[in-house]
Amino acid sequence: MTVQTPLQLDPTPMAFRFGATRIDVNIPDSAALLAEVARRFRSGQGFALATINLDHLVKLRADPAFRKVYAAQDLVVADGNPVVWLSRLAARPVSLVPGSDIVLPLCRAAHAAGVSIALVGSTEAVLDKVAQALEAQFPGLKIALGAAPPMGFDPQGAQARDILRQIDAADARLCLVAMGAPKQEAFAQLGRDIAPACGFASIGAGLDFIAGTQRRAPRLMRMLALEWLWRMLLSPRRLALRYLRCAMVLPPAMLDAWRLRRAARN
């Protein structure tokens, strides 16, 4: 019989420092992520999965509360080519694992393990479409709960606690959380306490893409690392300032990555 061992963290992973807080990108690629998720399904161990990108780096630099939430995430992958490029500069390479791309593989893993899932975020109409799409693609997949929090939702307030208690009572073992940063990561952090057997995956707009209410960039643009441009062209007023801030965070992040590279040589 093969014994499944826990995730063995790289002693020198790609890391980002924000004051006294260090965030490690501790999952190098999608294969490692799915292997770890499958192991946790088998062992009944939950998790909180975060997908770090430049927008998150901006928020982490500015918000100590978000740093605390992020440091509590169990699994962190690189969501965005700039994070991958920074990891190469640091000589601690990781592969691209976009949050939107891991939704179906995670559901496939849940289906294979025979565990139920929960959907939290977006709107009720989107959740209905997603449930139908997932049940069609994975016959027999049980969707134990769907919750679309209202505007102004506090991800660590009373309503969040009520949703998490429902998730725990329904024995959902995977929860796809689509509320955007920092709300989804804060919800996942609280979920680790209230529903410890459930894995919380923060996936941004992942559910809207499945429902078809938002369009992803064409495959060629994604291959050319131009998905950000596609998004900005679709919603320039909302995203132009965000991407400017992301561009501004790159120089100090590159310097930090270079320091990591030099530290590895010493």
Side-chain angles (χ1 to χ4, degrees):
M1 181 178 65
T2 301
V3 177
Q4 298 294 330
T5 57
L7 171 68
Q8 298 297 313
L9 298 182
D10 185 340
T12 58
M14 180 56 193
F16 297 95
R17 287 191 178 276
F18 308 92
T21 303
R22 169 173 160 157
I23 307 297
D24 290 342
V25 183
N26 59 3
I27 302 293
D29 53 42
S30 57
L33 172 64
L34 293 174
E36 178 62 13
V37 167
R39 185 195 70 79
R40 290 186 181 236
F41 284 158
R42 288 190 293 269
S43 66
Q45 182 182 6
F47 59 86
L49 166 65
T51 57
I52 196 165
N53 56 36
L54 280 188
D55 180 54
H56 292 188
L57 294 184
V58 172
K59 291 179 170 68
L60 286 164
R61 285 181 177 272
D63 187 352
F66 189 37
R67 295 176 208 164
K68 183 177 180 181
V69 163
Y70 226 95
Q73 308 294 301
D74 302 281
L75 313 176
V76 180
V77 297
D79 176 18
N81 282 291
V83 174
V84 173
W85 299 333
L86 289 169
S87 76
R88 293 173 182 168
L89 178 59
R92 302 179 183 191
V94 297
S95 297
L96 183 65
V97 187
S100 299
D101 287 350
I102 61 174
V103 176
L104 294 180
L106 287 174
C107 291
R108 185 176 295 109
H111 183 248
V115 302
S116 60
I117 72 172
L119 310 173
V120 176
S122 197
T123 66
E124 290 185 4
V126 166
L127 296 187
D128 288 342
K129 290 181 179 179
V130 171
Q132 292 172 18
L134 293 179
E135 289 167 347
Q137 184 155 355
F138 307 108
L141 175 67
K142 181 181 178 183
I143 300 177
L145 178 74
M151 292 291 291
F153 175 73
D154 180 352
Q156 296 197 326
Q159 190 174 12
R161 292 176 179 274
D162 182 58
I163 292 171
L164 288 166
R165 283 191 286 266
Q166 292 178 50
I167 290 171
D168 189 48
D171 196 29
R173 299 283 300 285
L174 173 66
C175 179
L176 301 175
V177 190
M179 291 189 283
K183 284 188 175 182
Q184 58 192 13
E185 292 81 10
F187 182 82
Q189 180 197 31
L190 182 62
R192 294 294 284 118
D193 292 331
I194 296 177
C198 185
F200 294 87
S202 297
I203 57 168
L207 298 184
D208 291 282
F209 290 140
I210 292 176
T213 53
Q214 288 192 38
R215 293 173 59 197
R216 286 203 71 181
R219 184 174 181 80
L220 179 60
M221 293 193 76
R222 283 181 268 157
M223 291 176 62
L224 295 175
L226 292 174
E227 189 167 9
W228 66 272
L229 179 59
W230 169 267
R231 291 177 178 174
M232 190 174 70
L233 291 174
L234 289 180
S235 188
R237 290 186 179 180
R238 184 173 67 89
L239 294 179
L241 181 58
R242 176 191 295 185
Y243 286 136
L244 175 61
R245 289 171 176 160
C246 288
M248 292 174 64
V249 85
L250 262 177
M254 291 173 66
L255 180 59
D256 289 344
W258 180 250
R259 287 170 176 161
L260 277 177
R261 187 186 191 97
R262 293 190 63 184
R265 293 175 177 173
N266 298 332

